[in-house]
Amino acid sequence: GQSLPNIPDGSDIINSPGTTLRFRLPIATSSGWALFGATVVCLLWNGVLSVYLVIAVNGHVQGKPDWFLTLFLIPFVLVGIVLAVIFVRQVLITTGIGPTLVEISDHPLRPGHPCRLFLSQSGRLTINSLQMFLVCEEQSTYRQGTDTRTDTCEPYRQEVFRRERFEVHRGQPLETECELLVPALAMHSFKADHNEVNWKLVVKGD
């Protein structure tokens, strides 16, 4: 509102009603970027390598093997195989992970007051550990010479949920509820031209 211009209004939260609790939080995920990076590295490495492999193979087929080139390429081929395995693994992870949904019972959250949380993880995957944290993140932006720099620190992190070694089957998502106690001395979220304080719930899966 106009009276509190540096406090986020949270409209992106209250516009999304939950199915179990009152509000569903917006989700940010980075798995697509991990797949994109694995794809680019794998294609570039193996694409360049394939040119030299064709030369080496043609030499053997024609009865004029270049053993120096052949031996030289072996470690690069091994790296290419490793990159291909990483790429396939990332594809399986990205396609196997279904939506991660987090819902909260109250908004805005109030220091010293409890709040109910609902977590749903769907897909088809084996999970070594799944955790959810309440995190406070501070950002400060400043000029250093002609450059603009942004520093980020994390003064507070509280684990609110953990589960280890389980499987999620398609059509049978993990669904759990837990309670979050907001720290009594917590500073509210804040956004100015050069400084930000952001509270968020972070779901981390292995």
mmCIF file of all heavy atoms in Angstrom, residues 15-62:
data_model
loop_
_atom_site.group_PDB
_atom_site.id
_atom_site.type_symbol
_atom_site.label_atom_id
_atom_site.label_comp_id
_atom_site.label_asym_id
_atom_site.label_seq_id
_atom_site.Cartn_x
_atom_site.Cartn_y
_atom_site.Cartn_z
ATOM 1 N N ASN A 15 -3.337 -14.484 -3.957
ATOM 2 C CA ASN A 15 -4.099 -14.733 -5.183
ATOM 3 C C ASN A 15 -4.180 -16.209 -5.536
ATOM 4 O O ASN A 15 -4.878 -16.578 -6.475
ATOM 5 C CB ASN A 15 -3.476 -13.972 -6.370
ATOM 6 C CG ASN A 15 -3.785 -12.490 -6.316
ATOM 7 O OD1 ASN A 15 -4.730 -12.080 -5.650
ATOM 8 N ND2 ASN A 15 -2.995 -11.688 -7.009
ATOM 9 N N SER A 16 -3.451 -17.072 -4.802
ATOM 10 C CA SER A 16 -3.420 -18.500 -5.110
ATOM 11 C C SER A 16 -3.940 -19.287 -3.908
ATOM 12 O O SER A 16 -3.187 -19.577 -2.979
ATOM 13 C CB SER A 16 -1.991 -18.942 -5.460
ATOM 14 O OG SER A 16 -1.490 -18.215 -6.557
ATOM 15 N N PRO A 17 -5.225 -19.628 -3.885
ATOM 16 C CA PRO A 17 -5.754 -20.412 -2.762
ATOM 17 C C PRO A 17 -5.225 -21.840 -2.799
ATOM 18 O O PRO A 17 -4.982 -22.409 -3.862
ATOM 19 C CB PRO A 17 -7.266 -20.379 -2.998
ATOM 20 C CG PRO A 17 -7.418 -20.146 -4.472
ATOM 21 C CD PRO A 17 -6.255 -19.279 -4.861
ATOM 22 N N GLY A 18 -5.019 -22.417 -1.620
ATOM 23 C CA GLY A 18 -4.559 -23.792 -1.524
ATOM 24 C C GLY A 18 -5.712 -24.774 -1.530
ATOM 25 O O GLY A 18 -6.883 -24.396 -1.443
ATOM 26 N N THR A 19 -5.388 -26.048 -1.619
ATOM 27 C CA THR A 19 -6.400 -27.101 -1.574
ATOM 28 C C THR A 19 -6.493 -27.730 -0.186
ATOM 29 O O THR A 19 -7.534 -28.268 0.181
ATOM 30 C CB THR A 19 -6.076 -28.201 -2.603
ATOM 31 O OG1 THR A 19 -4.758 -28.704 -2.353
ATOM 32 C CG2 THR A 19 -6.133 -27.646 -4.015
ATOM 33 N N THR A 20 -5.389 -27.681 0.579
ATOM 34 C CA THR A 20 -5.380 -28.233 1.934
ATOM 35 C C THR A 20 -5.354 -27.123 2.972
ATOM 36 O O THR A 20 -6.101 -27.154 3.948
ATOM 37 C CB THR A 20 -4.161 -29.155 2.125
ATOM 38 O OG1 THR A 20 -4.224 -30.222 1.163
ATOM 39 C CG2 THR A 20 -4.141 -29.753 3.525
ATOM 40 N N LEU A 21 -4.480 -26.139 2.775
ATOM 41 C CA LEU A 21 -4.426 -24.974 3.643
ATOM 42 C C LEU A 21 -4.856 -23.740 2.858
ATOM 43 O O LEU A 21 -5.177 -23.829 1.670
ATOM 44 C CB LEU A 21 -3.013 -24.809 4.229
ATOM 45 C CG LEU A 21 -2.520 -25.989 5.083
ATOM 46 C CD1 LEU A 21 -1.101 -25.733 5.589
ATOM 47 C CD2 LEU A 21 -3.466 -26.254 6.252
ATOM 48 N N ARG A 22 -4.818 -22.593 3.482
ATOM 49 C CA ARG A 22 -5.475 -21.419 2.911
ATOM 50 C C ARG A 22 -4.792 -20.857 1.665
ATOM 51 O O ARG A 22 -5.443 -20.490 0.695
ATOM 52 C CB ARG A 22 -5.569 -20.325 3.984
ATOM 53 C CG ARG A 22 -6.458 -19.163 3.569
ATOM 54 C CD ARG A 22 -6.604 -18.166 4.699
ATOM 55 N NE ARG A 22 -7.444 -17.038 4.306
ATOM 56 C CZ ARG A 22 -7.627 -15.960 5.039
ATOM 57 N NH1 ARG A 22 -7.029 -15.850 6.221
ATOM 58 N NH2 ARG A 22 -8.392 -14.969 4.604
ATOM 59 N N PHE A 23 -3.448 -20.801 1.678
ATOM 60 C CA PHE A 23 -2.731 -20.164 0.569
ATOM 61 C C PHE A 23 -1.690 -21.115 -0.007
ATOM 62 O O PHE A 23 -1.001 -21.813 0.733
ATOM 63 C CB PHE A 23 -2.028 -18.880 1.035
ATOM 64 C CG PHE A 23 -2.947 -17.856 1.625
ATOM 65 C CD1 PHE A 23 -2.880 -17.560 2.980
ATOM 66 C CD2 PHE A 23 -3.865 -17.198 0.840
ATOM 67 C CE1 PHE A 23 -3.717 -16.615 3.534
ATOM 68 C CE2 PHE A 23 -4.713 -16.247 1.392
ATOM 69 C CZ PHE A 23 -4.642 -15.954 2.745
ATOM 70 N N ARG A 24 -1.547 -21.103 -1.326
ATOM 71 C CA ARG A 24 -0.484 -21.859 -2.001
ATOM 72 C C ARG A 24 0.613 -20.892 -2.420
ATOM 73 O O ARG A 24 0.347 -19.884 -3.079
ATOM 74 C CB ARG A 24 -1.019 -22.604 -3.221
ATOM 75 C CG ARG A 24 0.064 -23.332 -4.021
ATOM 76 C CD ARG A 24 -0.527 -24.268 -5.048
ATOM 77 N NE ARG A 24 -1.243 -25.361 -4.395
ATOM 78 C CZ ARG A 24 -1.910 -26.322 -5.048
ATOM 79 N NH1 ARG A 24 -1.948 -26.310 -6.362
ATOM 80 N NH2 ARG A 24 -2.531 -27.265 -4.377
ATOM 81 N N LEU A 25 1.855 -21.220 -2.058
ATOM 82 C CA LEU A 25 2.971 -20.325 -2.357
ATOM 83 C C LEU A 25 3.426 -20.493 -3.800
ATOM 84 O O LEU A 25 3.413 -21.600 -4.339
ATOM 85 C CB LEU A 25 4.141 -20.621 -1.417
ATOM 86 C CG LEU A 25 3.884 -20.458 0.084
ATOM 87 C CD1 LEU A 25 5.170 -20.715 0.858
ATOM 88 C CD2 LEU A 25 3.353 -19.069 0.388
ATOM 89 N N PRO A 26 3.866 -19.397 -4.437
ATOM 90 C CA PRO A 26 4.469 -19.513 -5.772
ATOM 91 C C PRO A 26 5.778 -20.277 -5.689
ATOM 92 O O PRO A 26 6.504 -20.187 -4.701
ATOM 93 C CB PRO A 26 4.685 -18.053 -6.199
ATOM 94 C CG PRO A 26 4.725 -17.290 -4.915
ATOM 95 C CD PRO A 26 3.824 -18.010 -3.950
ATOM 96 N N ILE A 27 6.075 -21.036 -6.741
ATOM 97 C CA ILE A 27 7.230 -21.931 -6.749
ATOM 98 C C ILE A 27 8.275 -21.429 -7.744
ATOM 99 O O ILE A 27 7.949 -21.050 -8.869
ATOM 100 C CB ILE A 27 6.817 -23.367 -7.129
ATOM 101 C CG1 ILE A 27 5.845 -23.918 -6.080
ATOM 102 C CG2 ILE A 27 8.033 -24.278 -7.259
ATOM 103 C CD1 ILE A 27 6.443 -24.090 -4.708
ATOM 104 N N ALA A 28 9.533 -21.429 -7.298
ATOM 105 C CA ALA A 28 10.669 -21.170 -8.195
ATOM 106 C C ALA A 28 11.543 -22.407 -8.191
ATOM 107 O O ALA A 28 11.831 -22.969 -7.131
ATOM 108 C CB ALA A 28 11.464 -19.955 -7.728
ATOM 109 N N THR A 29 11.975 -22.874 -9.365
ATOM 110 C CA THR A 29 12.784 -24.086 -9.451
ATOM 111 C C THR A 29 13.913 -23.887 -10.439
ATOM 112 O O THR A 29 13.816 -23.091 -11.370
ATOM 113 C CB THR A 29 11.935 -25.299 -9.877
ATOM 114 O OG1 THR A 29 12.762 -26.450 -10.007
ATOM 115 C CG2 THR A 29 11.240 -25.046 -11.207
ATOM 116 N N SER A 30 15.020 -24.630 -10.251
ATOM 117 C CA SER A 30 16.193 -24.477 -11.110
ATOM 118 C C SER A 30 16.536 -25.746 -11.879
ATOM 119 O O SER A 30 17.564 -25.812 -12.536
ATOM 120 C CB SER A 30 17.406 -24.078 -10.264
ATOM 121 O OG SER A 30 17.663 -25.064 -9.281
ATOM 122 N N SER A 31 15.686 -26.784 -11.805
ATOM 123 C CA SER A 31 16.027 -28.046 -12.453
ATOM 124 C C SER A 31 16.136 -27.899 -13.967
ATOM 125 O O SER A 31 16.925 -28.581 -14.616
ATOM 126 C CB SER A 31 14.985 -29.114 -12.103
ATOM 127 O OG SER A 31 13.695 -28.712 -12.558
ATOM 128 N N GLY A 32 15.326 -26.999 -14.575
ATOM 129 C CA GLY A 32 15.400 -26.803 -16.018
ATOM 130 C C GLY A 32 16.744 -26.244 -16.445
ATOM 131 O O GLY A 32 17.291 -26.640 -17.476
ATOM 132 N N TRP A 33 17.307 -25.335 -15.649
ATOM 133 C CA TRP A 33 18.621 -24.775 -15.971
ATOM 134 C C TRP A 33 19.709 -25.821 -15.842
ATOM 135 O O TRP A 33 20.670 -25.824 -16.607
ATOM 136 C CB TRP A 33 18.910 -23.590 -15.063
ATOM 137 C CG TRP A 33 18.133 -22.360 -15.410
ATOM 138 C CD1 TRP A 33 17.107 -21.799 -14.713
ATOM 139 C CD2 TRP A 33 18.304 -21.540 -16.572
ATOM 140 N NE1 TRP A 33 16.640 -20.679 -15.364
ATOM 141 C CE2 TRP A 33 17.353 -20.491 -16.503
ATOM 142 C CE3 TRP A 33 19.178 -21.590 -17.671
ATOM 143 C CZ2 TRP A 33 17.253 -19.519 -17.487
ATOM 144 C CZ3 TRP A 33 19.075 -20.611 -18.648
ATOM 145 C CH2 TRP A 33 18.120 -19.594 -18.551
ATOM 146 N N ALA A 34 19.568 -26.723 -14.860
ATOM 147 C CA ALA A 34 20.563 -27.790 -14.720
ATOM 148 C C ALA A 34 20.555 -28.688 -15.947
ATOM 149 O O ALA A 34 21.608 -29.085 -16.456
ATOM 150 C CB ALA A 34 20.281 -28.609 -13.455
ATOM 151 N N LEU A 35 19.367 -29.008 -16.458
ATOM 152 C CA LEU A 35 19.267 -29.832 -17.670
ATOM 153 C C LEU A 35 19.818 -29.083 -18.871
ATOM 154 O O LEU A 35 20.530 -29.669 -19.703
ATOM 155 C CB LEU A 35 17.806 -30.222 -17.911
ATOM 156 C CG LEU A 35 17.534 -31.013 -19.195
ATOM 157 C CD1 LEU A 35 18.331 -32.309 -19.212
ATOM 158 C CD2 LEU A 35 16.045 -31.294 -19.340
ATOM 159 N N PHE A 36 19.518 -27.799 -18.985
ATOM 160 C CA PHE A 36 20.031 -27.002 -20.103
ATOM 161 C C PHE A 36 21.549 -26.974 -20.094
ATOM 162 O O PHE A 36 22.199 -27.167 -21.129
ATOM 163 C CB PHE A 36 19.468 -25.580 -20.016
ATOM 164 C CG PHE A 36 20.016 -24.652 -21.063
ATOM 165 C CD1 PHE A 36 19.559 -24.706 -22.364
ATOM 166 C CD2 PHE A 36 20.999 -23.722 -20.741
ATOM 167 C CE1 PHE A 36 20.071 -23.845 -23.328
ATOM 168 C CE2 PHE A 36 21.517 -22.865 -21.688
ATOM 169 C CZ PHE A 36 21.049 -22.926 -22.995
ATOM 170 N N GLY A 37 22.146 -26.756 -18.915
ATOM 171 C CA GLY A 37 23.605 -26.728 -18.815
ATOM 172 C C GLY A 37 24.234 -28.056 -19.175
ATOM 173 O O GLY A 37 25.230 -28.105 -19.900
ATOM 174 N N ALA A 38 23.648 -29.166 -18.670
ATOM 175 C CA ALA A 38 24.182 -30.495 -18.987
ATOM 176 C C ALA A 38 24.073 -30.783 -20.480
ATOM 177 O O ALA A 38 24.974 -31.388 -21.077
ATOM 178 C CB ALA A 38 23.437 -31.560 -18.186
ATOM 179 N N THR A 39 22.986 -30.327 -21.102
ATOM 180 C CA THR A 39 22.792 -30.550 -22.536
ATOM 181 C C THR A 39 23.833 -29.799 -23.359
ATOM 182 O O THR A 39 24.446 -30.364 -24.269
ATOM 183 C CB THR A 39 21.378 -30.106 -22.958
ATOM 184 O OG1 THR A 39 20.404 -30.830 -22.198
ATOM 185 C CG2 THR A 39 21.143 -30.372 -24.440
ATOM 186 N N VAL A 40 24.031 -28.530 -23.048
ATOM 187 C CA VAL A 40 24.979 -27.704 -23.813
ATOM 188 C C VAL A 40 26.395 -28.260 -23.692
ATOM 189 O O VAL A 40 27.102 -28.420 -24.698
ATOM 190 C CB VAL A 40 24.923 -26.241 -23.324
ATOM 191 C CG1 VAL A 40 26.059 -25.434 -23.929
ATOM 192 C CG2 VAL A 40 23.596 -25.616 -23.689
ATOM 193 N N VAL A 41 26.840 -28.567 -22.464
ATOM 194 C CA VAL A 41 28.200 -29.069 -22.264
ATOM 195 C C VAL A 41 28.393 -30.397 -22.971
ATOM 196 O O VAL A 41 29.412 -30.630 -23.641
ATOM 197 C CB VAL A 41 28.506 -29.210 -20.760
ATOM 198 C CG1 VAL A 41 29.849 -29.886 -20.553
ATOM 199 C CG2 VAL A 41 28.506 -27.836 -20.091
ATOM 200 N N CYS A 42 27.407 -31.303 -22.846
ATOM 201 C CA CYS A 42 27.524 -32.623 -23.477
ATOM 202 C C CYS A 42 27.587 -32.515 -24.998
ATOM 203 O O CYS A 42 28.415 -33.163 -25.640
ATOM 204 C CB CYS A 42 26.336 -33.493 -23.047
ATOM 205 S SG CYS A 42 26.401 -35.190 -23.676
ATOM 206 N N LEU A 43 26.730 -31.669 -25.585
ATOM 207 C CA LEU A 43 26.703 -31.534 -27.043
ATOM 208 C C LEU A 43 27.978 -30.886 -27.571
ATOM 209 O O LEU A 43 28.538 -31.333 -28.587
ATOM 210 C CB LEU A 43 25.482 -30.716 -27.467
ATOM 211 C CG LEU A 43 24.120 -31.406 -27.322
ATOM 212 C CD1 LEU A 43 22.997 -30.464 -27.733
ATOM 213 C CD2 LEU A 43 24.068 -32.683 -28.169
ATOM 214 N N LEU A 44 28.452 -29.841 -26.892
ATOM 215 C CA LEU A 44 29.663 -29.169 -27.363
ATOM 216 C C LEU A 44 30.874 -30.086 -27.282
ATOM 217 O O LEU A 44 31.650 -30.213 -28.246
ATOM 218 C CB LEU A 44 29.909 -27.894 -26.541
ATOM 219 C CG LEU A 44 28.984 -26.714 -26.822
ATOM 220 C CD1 LEU A 44 29.285 -25.566 -25.869
ATOM 221 C CD2 LEU A 44 29.122 -26.247 -28.265
ATOM 222 N N TRP A 45 31.048 -30.739 -26.129
ATOM 223 C CA TRP A 45 32.213 -31.609 -25.945
ATOM 224 C C TRP A 45 32.207 -32.765 -26.936
ATOM 225 O O TRP A 45 33.178 -32.991 -27.646
ATOM 226 C CB TRP A 45 32.236 -32.132 -24.504
ATOM 227 C CG TRP A 45 33.454 -32.968 -24.200
ATOM 228 C CD1 TRP A 45 33.631 -34.301 -24.494
ATOM 229 C CD2 TRP A 45 34.663 -32.535 -23.575
ATOM 230 N NE1 TRP A 45 34.866 -34.726 -24.084
ATOM 231 C CE2 TRP A 45 35.525 -33.667 -23.506
ATOM 232 C CE3 TRP A 45 35.093 -31.323 -23.055
ATOM 233 C CZ2 TRP A 45 36.790 -33.597 -22.938
ATOM 234 C CZ3 TRP A 45 36.348 -31.250 -22.485
ATOM 235 C CH2 TRP A 45 37.186 -32.379 -22.435
ATOM 236 N N ASN A 46 31.095 -33.500 -26.978
ATOM 237 C CA ASN A 46 31.039 -34.677 -27.837
ATOM 238 C C ASN A 46 30.934 -34.311 -29.312
ATOM 239 O O ASN A 46 31.347 -35.091 -30.169
ATOM 240 C CB ASN A 46 29.868 -35.573 -27.423
ATOM 241 C CG ASN A 46 30.127 -36.282 -26.104
ATOM 242 O OD1 ASN A 46 31.092 -37.028 -25.973
ATOM 243 N ND2 ASN A 46 29.279 -36.042 -25.114
ATOM 244 N N GLY A 47 30.386 -33.122 -29.614
ATOM 245 C CA GLY A 47 30.340 -32.687 -31.008
ATOM 246 C C GLY A 47 31.733 -32.437 -31.566
ATOM 247 O O GLY A 47 32.073 -32.901 -32.662
ATOM 248 N N VAL A 48 32.565 -31.706 -30.810
ATOM 249 C CA VAL A 48 33.947 -31.459 -31.240
ATOM 250 C C VAL A 48 34.741 -32.758 -31.248
ATOM 251 O O VAL A 48 35.524 -33.031 -32.178
ATOM 252 C CB VAL A 48 34.614 -30.425 -30.312
ATOM 253 C CG1 VAL A 48 36.095 -30.274 -30.653
ATOM 254 C CG2 VAL A 48 33.908 -29.079 -30.427
ATOM 255 N N LEU A 49 34.542 -33.590 -30.220
ATOM 256 C CA LEU A 49 35.269 -34.856 -30.135
ATOM 257 C C LEU A 49 34.958 -35.774 -31.301
ATOM 258 O O LEU A 49 35.841 -36.497 -31.796
ATOM 259 C CB LEU A 49 34.906 -35.549 -28.813
ATOM 260 C CG LEU A 49 35.571 -36.900 -28.529
ATOM 261 C CD1 LEU A 49 37.090 -36.744 -28.446
ATOM 262 C CD2 LEU A 49 35.018 -37.490 -27.238
ATOM 263 N N SER A 50 33.706 -35.750 -31.766
ATOM 264 C CA SER A 50 33.312 -36.660 -32.848
ATOM 265 C C SER A 50 34.098 -36.401 -34.139
ATOM 266 O O SER A 50 34.359 -37.328 -34.913
ATOM 267 C CB SER A 50 31.812 -36.528 -33.116
ATOM 268 O OG SER A 50 31.489 -35.227 -33.592
ATOM 269 N N VAL A 51 34.491 -35.143 -34.365
ATOM 270 C CA VAL A 51 35.273 -34.819 -35.567
ATOM 271 C C VAL A 51 36.608 -35.558 -35.553
ATOM 272 O O VAL A 51 37.018 -36.184 -36.552
ATOM 273 C CB VAL A 51 35.502 -33.295 -35.657
ATOM 274 C CG1 VAL A 51 36.411 -32.966 -36.842
ATOM 275 C CG2 VAL A 51 34.168 -32.561 -35.785
ATOM 276 N N TYR A 52 37.283 -35.526 -34.410
ATOM 277 C CA TYR A 52 38.578 -36.207 -34.312
ATOM 278 C C TYR A 52 38.415 -37.717 -34.268
ATOM 279 O O TYR A 52 39.280 -38.459 -34.746
ATOM 280 C CB TYR A 52 39.321 -35.706 -33.063
ATOM 281 C CG TYR A 52 39.693 -34.259 -33.161
ATOM 282 C CD1 TYR A 52 38.894 -33.264 -32.603
ATOM 283 C CD2 TYR A 52 40.854 -33.864 -33.835
ATOM 284 C CE1 TYR A 52 39.238 -31.926 -32.704
ATOM 285 C CE2 TYR A 52 41.202 -32.531 -33.934
ATOM 286 C CZ TYR A 52 40.389 -31.563 -33.373
ATOM 287 O OH TYR A 52 40.735 -30.233 -33.481
ATOM 288 N N LEU A 53 37.301 -38.194 -33.701
ATOM 289 C CA LEU A 53 37.051 -39.635 -33.692
ATOM 290 C C LEU A 53 36.868 -40.159 -35.116
ATOM 291 O O LEU A 53 37.361 -41.247 -35.452
ATOM 292 C CB LEU A 53 35.808 -39.958 -32.858
ATOM 293 C CG LEU A 53 35.991 -39.977 -31.340
ATOM 294 C CD1 LEU A 53 34.658 -40.217 -30.651
ATOM 295 C CD2 LEU A 53 36.993 -41.052 -30.936
ATOM 296 N N VAL A 54 36.184 -39.404 -35.950
ATOM 297 C CA VAL A 54 35.989 -39.815 -37.351
ATOM 298 C C VAL A 54 37.330 -39.917 -38.058
ATOM 299 O O VAL A 54 37.587 -40.866 -38.811
ATOM 300 C CB VAL A 54 35.056 -38.828 -38.075
ATOM 301 C CG1 VAL A 54 35.073 -39.083 -39.579
ATOM 302 C CG2 VAL A 54 33.638 -38.940 -37.531
ATOM 303 N N ILE A 55 38.205 -38.947 -37.803
ATOM 304 C CA ILE A 55 39.535 -38.980 -38.420
ATOM 305 C C ILE A 55 40.315 -40.199 -37.964
ATOM 306 O O ILE A 55 40.942 -40.915 -38.757
ATOM 307 C CB ILE A 55 40.309 -37.691 -38.079
ATOM 308 C CG1 ILE A 55 39.603 -36.472 -38.691
ATOM 309 C CG2 ILE A 55 41.755 -37.776 -38.573
ATOM 310 C CD1 ILE A 55 40.214 -35.147 -38.264
ATOM 311 N N ALA A 56 40.279 -40.482 -36.644
ATOM 312 C CA ALA A 56 41.018 -41.624 -36.110
ATOM 313 C C ALA A 56 40.457 -42.936 -36.640
ATOM 314 O O ALA A 56 41.218 -43.843 -37.033
ATOM 315 C CB ALA A 56 40.965 -41.597 -34.578
ATOM 316 N N VAL A 57 39.140 -43.064 -36.668
ATOM 317 C CA VAL A 57 38.517 -44.314 -37.146
ATOM 318 C C VAL A 57 38.796 -44.523 -38.629
ATOM 319 O O VAL A 57 39.104 -45.645 -39.075
ATOM 320 C CB VAL A 57 37.006 -44.286 -36.865
ATOM 321 C CG1 VAL A 57 36.319 -45.465 -37.552
ATOM 322 C CG2 VAL A 57 36.743 -44.333 -35.366
ATOM 323 N N ASN A 58 38.718 -43.482 -39.432
ATOM 324 C CA ASN A 58 38.999 -43.602 -40.860
ATOM 325 C C ASN A 58 40.428 -44.070 -41.103
ATOM 326 O O ASN A 58 40.705 -44.857 -42.027
ATOM 327 C CB ASN A 58 38.763 -42.268 -41.567
ATOM 328 C CG ASN A 58 37.276 -41.986 -41.780
ATOM 329 O OD1 ASN A 58 36.465 -42.908 -41.756
ATOM 330 N ND2 ASN A 58 36.933 -40.720 -41.978
ATOM 331 N N GLY A 59 41.350 -43.585 -40.273
ATOM 332 C CA GLY A 59 42.735 -44.017 -40.412
ATOM 333 C C GLY A 59 42.872 -45.512 -40.178
ATOM 334 O O GLY A 59 43.595 -46.206 -40.918
ATOM 335 N N HIS A 60 42.192 -46.058 -39.174
ATOM 336 C CA HIS A 60 42.247 -47.505 -38.907
ATOM 337 C C HIS A 60 41.572 -48.285 -40.019
ATOM 338 O O HIS A 60 42.064 -49.358 -40.422
ATOM 339 C CB HIS A 60 41.577 -47.798 -37.550
ATOM 340 C CG HIS A 60 42.417 -47.399 -36.375
ATOM 341 N ND1 HIS A 60 43.395 -48.207 -35.848
ATOM 342 C CD2 HIS A 60 42.427 -46.257 -35.625
ATOM 343 C CE1 HIS A 60 43.966 -47.603 -34.808
ATOM 344 N NE2 HIS A 60 43.394 -46.408 -34.665
ATOM 345 N N VAL A 61 40.442 -47.784 -40.522
ATOM 346 C CA VAL A 61 39.723 -48.484 -41.596
ATOM 347 C C VAL A 61 40.568 -48.556 -42.859
ATOM 348 O O VAL A 61 40.575 -49.569 -43.569
ATOM 349 C CB VAL A 61 38.381 -47.784 -41.877
ATOM 350 C CG1 VAL A 61 37.729 -48.344 -43.143
ATOM 351 C CG2 VAL A 61 37.434 -47.942 -40.690
ATOM 352 N N GLN A 62 41.317 -47.512 -43.159
ATOM 353 C CA GLN A 62 42.134 -47.462 -44.369
ATOM 354 C C GLN A 62 43.495 -48.132 -44.192
ATOM 355 O O GLN A 62 44.315 -48.124 -45.104
ATOM 356 C CB GLN A 62 42.331 -46.004 -44.793
ATOM 357 C CG GLN A 62 41.029 -45.297 -45.185
ATOM 358 C CD GLN A 62 41.212 -43.809 -45.408
ATOM 359 O OE1 GLN A 62 42.338 -43.301 -45.348
ATOM 360 N NE2 GLN A 62 40.113 -43.103 -45.659
#
